[in-house]
Amino acid sequence: MSVDWEGEIVWLKHSRLLSVLTLLSFVAAPCLAADGTGGAKADGGSETITADIVIAGAGLSGLAAGLTGVENGAKVVIFEKLPGIGGAGNYPEGSFGINSRLQKQSGDPRYNKSPEEAFAAGVEFHHWRLNSALLSTLIRNSGDTMDWLQDEGIKFKGIKTMFPPEKSLGVWHIYEGHGARVVQTMYRKFASLGGQLYLETPVKSLLTGKDGRVIGIVAEDAHGKKYNVYAKGVILATGGFASNQAMLQKYVTDINAKGMLAGVRYRGPLIDGRTGDGINMAMGQGAAVQSMNVLAGNAPYLDTKEPPIYQFNGPDSLKQMRTALSQPFLWVNQHGDRFYNESLGSAFVDVYNAITANGGVMYSVFDENMKNRLVNEGPYTPFNAIVVVGQKMTALDEGLKKGLEGGYAFKADTIPELAKMIHVDPAALEATMSKINAYAEAGKDPDFGRKPEHLFKFNPTGPYYALKGIRAFFLTCGGVKVNASMQAVNDRDEPIPGLYVTGQDMGGLSDTSYDLLLEGEASGFALTSGRLAARNIVTTELAK
């Protein structure tokens, strides 16, 4: 089956050692043994490998580190626990970068912000309760990372933003083919330069010398074969702990919040290896951790039975329903009251926080005219770069039909009927609607500041619709404390020799929320941290 580069995951031919490109296609398939049989695990013996750099994880940060290493003459080996590369790194539409070649060449004054301005915005957002030296390093090197990708053959659609000009930093570099194209391109170059990649071979533990230095890893494949790899530098790039239920329950405040009407769903790949492996191995070596309580919240998402990721990369009817959910119509909580500025529906972290403060559930209410406008003219606000302003939502009626059948969309001829369907007090919902109608007539929202052009008066007669929205998250923000060289450090900020940590295995970049203003931060910082870790190993460890 041939699928384009916007699919689920990059799957590679089932061969343990991939030193040449054997790229097949994107498919959502079960994990098999290397020979494709799914056979039982057996004692497969052991093998000793000597390398300059060994990396746990073949996502964006691991591949960026691997490619940087081989480009600088290092012998690099990557171990990946899944049968395919990229993981969640296949999904990003774009990545953070500032002071890049693309920004300079655009000539657009909106994109001429400096790294200092981005840093100031970041530390202000987090009230300086973060690893400021790490943030500064990642921001200052991010533009060079975007230039590097361009030199490697990555093509960009341009710079995008979800914020108005007065607020945007103009830093979101949108890829052709999404992150999957970046994964493909980096792997091709890595393999062509002699880099080695082992699939379905998770790193199980770290090797240490008598002096406490990390000197390598132990990995084991599905047949029980062990690999003892000795290297000058070890890089952990396993992507955080988004799929580790025990760690989420232990560390993340929102998972255990009381009074929630719905839990927090995971908007991640259907097959996901992000179970905290790197973080736990580093902690076993005495590494400190930071920001372990923070999720990258993502809301609103429809309360469907299917995984939330389908609203991101599934059929148009579902993507357009998700877009309709976030439009600047009337948002109410379980009590029928407004709770948020609906004009800011694209600011998905802020929406997540607001829904969390209101019991974990919201409803977006609109009428037939509002629905028809979306169908015939497109949305008022975008859903990331998935459904954009001006894109006619011609599959919305199909989506509504499925939503009514699935129990996350509701339709009624009167507001009291609709209120009963969504278990909201009818009198409260009618009062809230009357208030928003008065604001629409006045052209001003004194309660939450919804934009005048987004103040719509409801029809006096139905039908009326409501969509149920819940919270989701797409990655964890906590991880190992590192210094500006990407070295893991202990509670006394002393580096753990030989151990480097990148991507979502790093902590210290968030206070209580993911910073959406630094658009594309997670993928951009993953790429940049991977490059910096490999570069530091080459210039320090290999130079000895």
Side-chain angles (χ1 to χ4, degrees):
M1 183 173 89
S2 177
V3 193
D4 67 22
W5 284 110
E6 296 182 17
E8 174 80 22
I9 258 185
V10 181
W11 298 110
L12 297 176
K13 185 174 288 184
H14 291 297
S15 171
R16 293 284 171 207
L17 175 57
L18 297 170
S19 55
V20 295
L21 179 67
T22 52
L23 191 61
L24 293 180
S25 63
F26 284 98
V27 291
C31 297
L32 301 176
D35 58 4
T37 65
K41 179 177 176 180
D43 183 4
S46 64
E47 180 180 342
T48 298
I49 299 173
T50 301
D52 295 319
I53 301 172
V54 61
I55 301 168
L60 288 178
S61 64
L63 288 170
L67 179 52
T68 299
V70 294
E71 286 181 333
N72 284 275
K75 179 182 178 182
V76 182
V77 185
I78 302 176
F79 288 88
E80 169 57 48
K81 71 191 296 184
L82 296 180
I85 59 175
N90 288 300
Y91 291 92
E93 300 142 86
S95 295
F96 175 92
I98 196 161
N99 201 29
S100 71
R101 186 187 307 142
L102 187 66
Q103 290 167 316
K104 296 171 185 175
Q105 291 173 346
S106 73
D108 193 322
R110 293 177 299 170
Y111 308 145
N112 64 359
K113 300 289 195 303
S114 68
E116 291 76 19
E117 289 174 286
F119 174 75
V123 292
E124 180 182 3
F125 180 88
H126 295 290
H127 310 290
W128 286 89
R129 195 171 181 175
L130 80 171
N131 188 334
S132 55
L134 176 62
L135 179 65
S136 176
T137 298
L138 293 170
I139 287 175
R140 286 187 288 104
N141 286 277
S142 64
D144 182 66
T145 295
M146 295 300 104
D147 295 346
W148 174 72
L149 289 177
Q150 206 169 27
D151 292 339
E152 299 291 353
I154 296 298
K155 291 182 171 59
F156 293 92
K157 291 182 179 180
I159 310 294
K160 300 288 185 182
T161 182
M162 289 186 286
F163 293 98
E166 66 274 12
K167 188 174 182 181
S168 174
L169 292 168
V171 293
W172 198 20
H173 293 61
I174 304 298
Y175 304 118
E176 289 187 5
H178 290 194
R181 187 71 54 78
V182 179
V183 168
Q184 172 206 22
T185 302
M186 288 195 297
Y187 174 71
R188 278 181 169 161
K189 187 70 176 291
F190 171 76
S192 72
L193 294 174
Q196 297 178 340
L197 170 65
Y198 290 76
L199 292 177
E200 296 181 272
T201 311
V203 174
K204 297 290 189 178
S205 60
L206 299 176
L207 295 171
T208 56
K210 293 181 179 179
D211 59 355
R213 179 184 180 84
V214 175
I215 58 174
I217 60 92
V218 177
E220 183 176 344
D221 68 21
H223 295 295
K225 181 175 180 179
K226 291 185 178 180
Y227 297 85
N228 298 301
V229 186
Y230 294 90
K232 298 291 182 64
V234 174
I235 299 176
L236 300 177
T238 64
F241 59 99
S243 285
N244 187 318
Q245 289 296 321
M247 290 183 71
L248 291 170
Q249 289 288 339
K250 179 178 180 180
Y251 292 111
V252 179
T253 306
D254 290 350
I255 299 296
N256 301 308
K258 295 181 179 179
M260 295 293 111
L261 300 176
V264 184
R265 297 188 67 187
Y266 178 39
R267 196 221 73 185
L270 298 181
I271 301 173
D272 191 8
R274 296 182 292 175
T275 54
D277 301 352
I279 296 171
N280 287 322
M281 283 188 285
M283 289 173 67
Q285 298 299 317
V289 292
Q290 292 182 303
S291 315
M292 294 292 283
N293 62 310
V294 184
L295 294 175
N298 196 274
Y301 270 76
L302 299 160
D303 190 17
T304 62
K305 292 182 174 62
E306 299 86 0
I309 192 66
Y310 287 174
Q311 298 174 47
F312 189 86
N313 67 352
D316 285 344
S317 59
L318 197 51
K319 290 188 285 191
Q320 292 179 17
M321 279 285 283
R322 162 59 179 77
T323 308
L325 176 66
S326 64
Q327 290 306 293
F329 299 137
L330 176 60
W331 294 17
V332 297
N333 61 17
Q334 59 183 308
H335 305 295
D337 298 324
R338 290 179 69 209
F339 63 93
Y340 186 72
N341 179 350
E342 297 95 337
S343 287
L344 305 179
S346 293
F348 54 77
V349 173
D350 291 345
V351 176
Y352 172 93
N353 291 337
I355 295 178
T356 299
N358 283 270
V361 170
M362 55 82 73
Y363 295 92
S364 180
V365 181
F366 51 95
D367 64 23
E368 188 74 11
N369 284 348
M370 297 172 193
K371 184 210 76 172
N372 289 338
R373 198 277 186 188
L374 300 180
V375 173
N376 298 322
E377 300 181 47
Y380 293 92
T381 56
F383 168 28
N384 292 16
I386 306 300
V387 181
V388 298
V389 174
Q391 179 180 335
K392 295 182 180 181
M393 294 169 59
T394 55
L396 182 58
D397 283 321
E398 177 189 352
L400 281 167
K401 180 181 178 183
K402 292 179 179 178
L404 292 169
E405 295 170 352
Y408 53 88
F410 308 87
K411 181 180 180 180
D413 291 327
T414 69
I415 292 301
E417 287 179 271
L418 188 70
K420 290 178 182 178
M421 289 180 178
I422 62 176
H423 307 290
V424 166
D425 178 55
L429 185 58
E430 284 189 300
T432 299
M433 185 170 288
S434 295
K435 185 182 290 188
I436 204 68
N437 283 340
Y439 294 166
E441 289 181 351
K444 185 177 181 180
D445 171 18
D447 293 338
F448 296 108
R450 194 199 299 183
K451 292 181 178 180
E453 60 268 32
H454 293 161
L455 287 169
F456 311 108
K457 189 173 182 179
F458 279 81
N459 283 339
T461 58
Y464 303 101
Y465 301 87
L467 303 180
K468 183 180 180 182
I470 58 171
R471 301 170 297 160
F473 75 99
F474 61 98
L475 51 84
T476 49
C477 297
V480 179
K481 187 176 184 180
V482 299
N483 60 24
S485 296
M486 309 304 133
Q487 292 175 293
V489 301
N490 61 24
D491 287 327
R492 298 179 298 279
D493 288 337
E494 298 166 338
I496 298 172
L499 185 61
Y500 295 75
V501 181
T502 64
Q504 297 315 124
D505 281 344
M506 297 186 300
L509 291 171
S510 299
D511 176 13
T512 57
S513 293
Y514 180 78
D515 185 0
L516 189 57
L517 187 61
L518 302 182
E519 295 173 280
E521 169 191 345
S523 61
F525 288 175
L527 290 161
T528 298
S529 63
R531 294 185 70 221
L532 292 175
R535 189 183 299 166
N536 286 327
I537 293 172
V538 169
T539 57
T540 58
E541 311 294 352
L542 302 189
K544 294 178 181 178

